Amino acid sequence: MRHYLPDKGALTTLRIVFLITAILLVTAVKLLISTDIAVFIVTGVIAFCALILSFVYLPLYFASIRYIVTGSEVIRKSGVFIKTHCSILHSSIQYTTVIDTPFSEHTGMNFIVFFVYGGRLRLSFLRRSDVQEILALTGSVSREEL
C-alpha cells in the first residue's frame, strides 16, 4: 500500500493564479465602474475572497487530499467541509488519461483520470514521479513504457 500527497508546488501555483485573477478583476472594476464608493466595496469583496481562498481554503483542501494505491484498488480521500471517499478496483479501469501542464515538474499540475464502468476517478496535483509510479502500480502502463 502506497500513500500519495499533492505537490506543494500546485498550492503555490493556485495561489498565484487566484491573486492575479483578483488583480485583473479589480482593474476591470476600476475601468468599468465610475463611482468611487462602489469601486471600493467591490475591490474589498474581491480582495477578501481572494485572500480567504488563497490562504485559508486552499491550504485546508490540500491538507485533506490523500491518495492510496493498494494491490487491488485506488482510493481518493479529500474534502474540507464535506469529506469524500472514492475508490476503484484496478480491474475496473477501462482507460487512463494523464494530463501534464507546461513546467509541471515545478508547478505540480499533473493529473491522472481513471475511467471506469460508469464513472471516473481524478487524482489531481501529483508530482510527475508519483504519476509514473501510480500508473505502474495500477497496471495502466507497464514499467518498460515509463
Side-chain angles (χ1 to χ4, degrees), residues 3 11 13 16-17 23 30 39 45 48-49 56 64-67 70 73 82 85 95 101 137-138 142:
H3 294 264
L11 175 60
T13 302
I16 291 169
V17 167
I23 290 169
K30 286 183 180 182
V39 170
V45 169
F48 178 76
C49 290
V56 177
S64 74
I65 298 174
R66 299 280 182 275
Y67 304 120
T70 66
E73 65 182 341
I82 299 172
H85 179 271
Y95 64 95
T101 59
L137 288 172
T138 59
S142 66

Side-chain angles (χ1 to χ4, degrees), residues 63-112:
S64 74
I65 298 174
R66 299 280 182 275
Y67 304 120
I68 303 166
V69 179
T70 66
S72 62
E73 65 182 341
V74 179
I75 303 166
R76 181 186 76 199
K77 297 179 180 182
S78 65
V80 176
F81 302 114
I82 299 172
K83 305 290 185 183
T84 61
H85 179 271
C86 303
S87 65
I88 60 168
L89 294 174
H90 294 185
S91 60
S92 66
I93 297 173
Q94 292 178 320
Y95 64 95
T96 304
T97 299
V98 177
I99 302 169
D100 287 327
T101 59
F103 308 110
S104 62
E105 64 273 359
H106 303 295
T107 62
M109 294 294 182
N110 298 301
F111 307 90
I112 301 174

